[in-house]
Structure formats: C-alpha cells, structure tokens
Amino acid sequence: MIKLKLMTALVATLLLSLSLTSTSLAADDLRVGTAAADLEADDSMVIAGGIHPRFVKGQEGKLRAVAVVIDKPGSAKLAIVACDVLMMTRDQLDPVTQRIERTCGIPASHVMIHCTHTHHAPSTMRVHGYDRDEVFSKRVQEGIVKAVTEANAGLADAAFSFCEGEEKTVGQNSRMLLGDGKIYWTGPRDDAVRPTGPFDPELPVLAFRDPAGKLKALLFNHSTHTIGAVTGNFRSPAFYGLAAQQLETELGGAVAFLEGASGSTHRLDVTPTDALARIKHAVLDALARAEPRKVDRLAALKRPFTFKVRTFDEAAEDHAVTEYCEKRIGPRADSVIDVFREMRGLLPPQQGHERTTWVQVMCIGDVAIVGVPAEFFTQLGVDVKRRSPLANTYVAELANDWIGYLPDREAHKLGGYQVWTGLHSYAEPGTGERIVDQAVAMLEELAP
C-alpha cells in the first residue's frame, strides 16, 4: 500500500513536471517555418571569388537559398535567408525584401538576406576582373522569394534552444606581418612574423524543434572566409555549406550557415575536407549542449547608414600593389596589377561621394544577430560583441548589401590587399568603427 502511494505520488509529480514543461513551451507561442530553393547554375557562368574570371566544370553539393521564418504573437515575424553566393548589393536585394513584405506581410526591416561568401558560385556582383552574371543573379533573387514564401506558409509550433560552441582550428588571422613589413595576402609566407589581428572562434548554434522534439531548423555562425571546395574545382557552397547540407541529412530539418566577421580571417593550414569535419563536429557538440531558451519577444531594426567613398593617391596605391605583387606572386603579377589599375580607374569621379547602405539588428529572445553589409574585419566584429548590452550577440556579415572590405583604422595603417583601393575596398577609413557604433546603439535600443 505504501509502495502504491509512493508510486502514485511519483507519477503525479512526473505528470505535473511534464505539464509545467509543456505549458512553458506553449507559453512562448513560437512558430517556425523553413524552406530551401536550389539555385541553378551551369558551366558557362563565371565563378566569383578570384582576381580574374574563371570557369569550372561540374558541381558538388547544392547552391541554395535557405530561409527560416520565425513568428510569435505580438511580435513582427523575422525572416533569415542564407544564400550560397559570394555577395550581393542592395540594388538587387532591396526589391526582394519589398516583394517579401508585400507577399508575406513580413516587414522589410525584419528580413535579413545574408550571403555565405562561398568563393565557388557564379558571380552576383561587379568586382576585380569580372561582372555579375545577370541570369544567375535573377535566379538568386527568385530563389530568395520562393524560399521565404514557402517557409512562411509552413509555420508550425516550435521551441528554441541555444548554445555558444567553439571551433579554434579551422581559421586564423590571415593578415600576417611579413619580414619586409608588408601584410600577407597571397604567395609565400615563410617569413611571417605574427598575426596583426584577432581570430574569433565562437560558434553559436540556434536550434528550433517541434513539440515532439524533432529538429525543424538550425542556424550556426562562424568567422572564417568561405573558401574551399572539398572534392575538386567545382561549383560548391564550400566547406561550411557542405557541412550544413550533411547535417541536414543526418539530423533532419533545415540547416543554414551565417558567415561571421571574417574579412581578415582565412583557412590557411587546414584542408577543406578537415575543415568540413571539424565544423560539423563543433556544431553537433554545441547542439548536444544546447539548452532551452524562452523567447519572450522577436524584434528587429534595419537602419540606413551613410558613408563616403575614400579619396586616394593613385601613385601611392599603384606602388603598394605593384611592389607586393612583383615580389610575392611571380609570373602572373602583371595581370593582377592591371586588374587593380582598372578598378581604381573607375573610382576617381566618385571620391568623396556619399553612399547609403543598411545596418540591421535582430533579437530572438536574448540572442542578437547583427547584420553588416561588408567583409567586416574580425576586430570590428569582436568590438560589436564586446560592447553589446546583450551577452549573446553575433555578427552576420554581407547582409542586405555589400560595400567591400571594411577594415578597422589600425588595419588601414598597416595596408595590404584588403585596404588597397578598388571596387573590393573603397569606403573611407573609420567607416567600420562608425558601423560598430551604430550597431551598438541599435542593440541598446532593443535591449530589455
């Protein structure tokens, strides 16, 4: 009889516990929808990511636009899209967010379109020695709308969990100070002295599960240049995107990668195959340790940001490029030098002109994602995190626009490829710090 009473009490306690857990999850009233659109490409399309135009034969994995839409009564919906392309500009993306607002009712300010920065997809912008592929760019635009529309139509109950993981070995600060005082870009680096900036190893994982515990969506973020097809010289989402697609196969749901502040960090000493394996391991480790987080609100701000095209000394710029290339690149130096001269030749009429881009902040409960429109130097991303009033703050670069590399002021003084003037780097010094200031002010505005 006593045993029966104890068992009855135990069952009652267990049922109460389950009831409280169920009530807690239901109280969030969170709904999530996901969808992915394949981005069709072929061998005739120029591949972005190098100095000269190049072409490949064949493809590994898929190039996709992966959308995650998050909804909660009393909050405007959020839409996060990860696209397997190098980068896109606002003239392409603003019309897409406006279409999404009209068709899905998601405010344009609550839509983040992010480029994963794979260097193995057809070109979607004018940079270096090639232009955008208009056919592929149009397919990307349509793919984004399709993915968000389908994700929005598939909203269903979900619970949120989070863990800040870590992966220290895949990337490193690649702007090495060399023995001759120059900053490493390409070529030999056997005389490297030291890195000139930080590497950010944080790897946050945001997971959404249905009431039965099945994974619906997973977002992960890491800060290394997305360079490295795994099986050969093919079109590819590169090691991050391939890791996401393999995780989908193993876990179910939709998995999307968000590139962190990686303008100054690369995968130098790890093969793409090893990088894929290490990133997968880090994501799975963080997912296993992820804890439920109550989502009391969804919030977002997207604000215009005005900056100026830098003024520059043509002779000094030409000397910096020529000196490095002739010493470090070898026989093809002249063709690389010519590309930089051609880019600089387009910029003199624009010196000092103002341009406007976007800075965006999203909050999923107490986790914040800051969208910046550039190849953001890691130091600047670390500064955003350090100054944010929200402990769990992460940067997604190449969001909603692309305005080239954005180095910090100290990096400008050091020089190197990322600060040589061209279509790849044209904002005046200090622009990066000003974006940090605006992002932090927006975070403070959204902070509880």
Side-chain angles (χ1 to χ4, degrees), residues 345-396:
L346 301 173
L347 290 174
Q350 303 175 49
Q351 293 181 88
H353 286 199
E354 287 191 344
R355 296 189 182 182
T356 302
T357 185
W358 296 111
V359 177
Q360 187 176 31
V361 172
M362 285 184 169
C363 288
I364 303 169
D366 60 357
V367 177
I369 302 173
V370 177
V372 296
E375 292 180 69
F376 215 49
F377 267 38
T378 304
Q379 181 62 62
L380 297 171
V382 170
D383 289 344
V384 170
K385 295 181 178 184
R386 176 178 55 82
R387 294 175 53 190
S388 173
L390 296 166
N392 301 123
T393 299
Y394 307 97
V395 172

Side-chain angles (χ1 to χ4, degrees), residues 50-70:
I51 301 300
H52 301 97
R54 66 185 181 93
F55 298 87
V56 299
K57 291 185 177 180
Q59 182 168 315
E60 63 175 8
K62 296 179 178 180
L63 302 175
R64 309 186 300 170
V66 181
V68 178
V69 175
I70 311 167

Side-chain angles (χ1 to χ4, degrees), residues 126-297:
R126 168 77 171 94
V127 68
H128 293 319
Y130 44 88
D131 209 336
R132 67 175 66 163
D133 184 295
E134 295 294 350
V135 172
F136 183 72
S137 297
K138 184 67 174 177
R139 290 174 182 172
V140 177
Q141 291 174 302
E142 295 300 321
I144 294 168
V145 174
K146 179 176 184 291
V148 174
T149 301
E150 292 180 1
N152 186 60
L155 288 167
D157 291 345
F160 176 54
S161 60
F162 170 80
C163 177
E164 183 181 283
E166 184 177 78
E167 214 309 309
K168 294 181 177 181
T169 67
V170 164
Q172 66 187 84
N173 180 269
S174 53
R175 283 174 48 85
M176 311 289 285
L177 177 65
L178 301 173
D180 59 3
K182 300 296 186 283
I183 300 299
Y184 177 72
W185 167 41
T186 188
R189 53 185 171 93
D190 50 358
D191 60 337
V193 178
R194 60 173 174 82
T196 59
F199 172 69
D200 184 356
E202 291 180 350
L203 193 152
V205 166
L206 291 72
F208 300 88
R209 297 183 181 275
D210 68 16
K214 182 180 178 181
L215 187 70
K216 290 178 62 68
L218 186 152
L219 301 171
F220 71 96
N221 171 257
H222 197 244
S223 301
T224 296
H225 252 68
T226 313
I227 302 176
V230 171
T231 59
N233 187 28
F234 301 123
R235 290 183 303 279
S236 173
F239 66 93
Y240 280 126
L242 291 170
Q245 290 175 33
Q246 289 185 16
L247 286 165
E248 277 191 6
T249 301
E250 296 170 13
L251 300 173
V255 179
F257 165 65
L258 303 178
E259 176 89 322
S262 64
S264 55
T265 58
H266 287 73
R267 176 196 53 78
L268 296 182
D269 299 322
V270 177
T271 69
T273 300
D274 284 345
L276 185 158
R278 295 179 192 190
I279 290 297
K280 275 185 61 180
H281 175 80
V283 172
L284 289 170
D285 175 70
L287 181 63
R289 294 185 293 111
E291 297 182 352
R293 289 286 185 99
K294 183 175 176 62
V295 178
D296 55 355
R297 61 173 185 150

Side-chain angles (χ1 to χ4, degrees), residues 35-82:
D38 292 348
L39 307 176
E40 183 183 350
D42 61 62
D43 295 349
S44 71
M45 296 175 172
V46 63
I47 300 298
I51 301 300
H52 301 97
R54 66 185 181 93
F55 298 87
V56 299
K57 291 185 177 180
Q59 182 168 315
E60 63 175 8
K62 296 179 178 180
L63 302 175
R64 309 186 300 170
V66 181
V68 178
V69 175
I70 311 167
D71 185 29
K72 179 180 173 64
S75 301
K77 295 176 184 175
L78 303 181
I80 300 172
V81 190

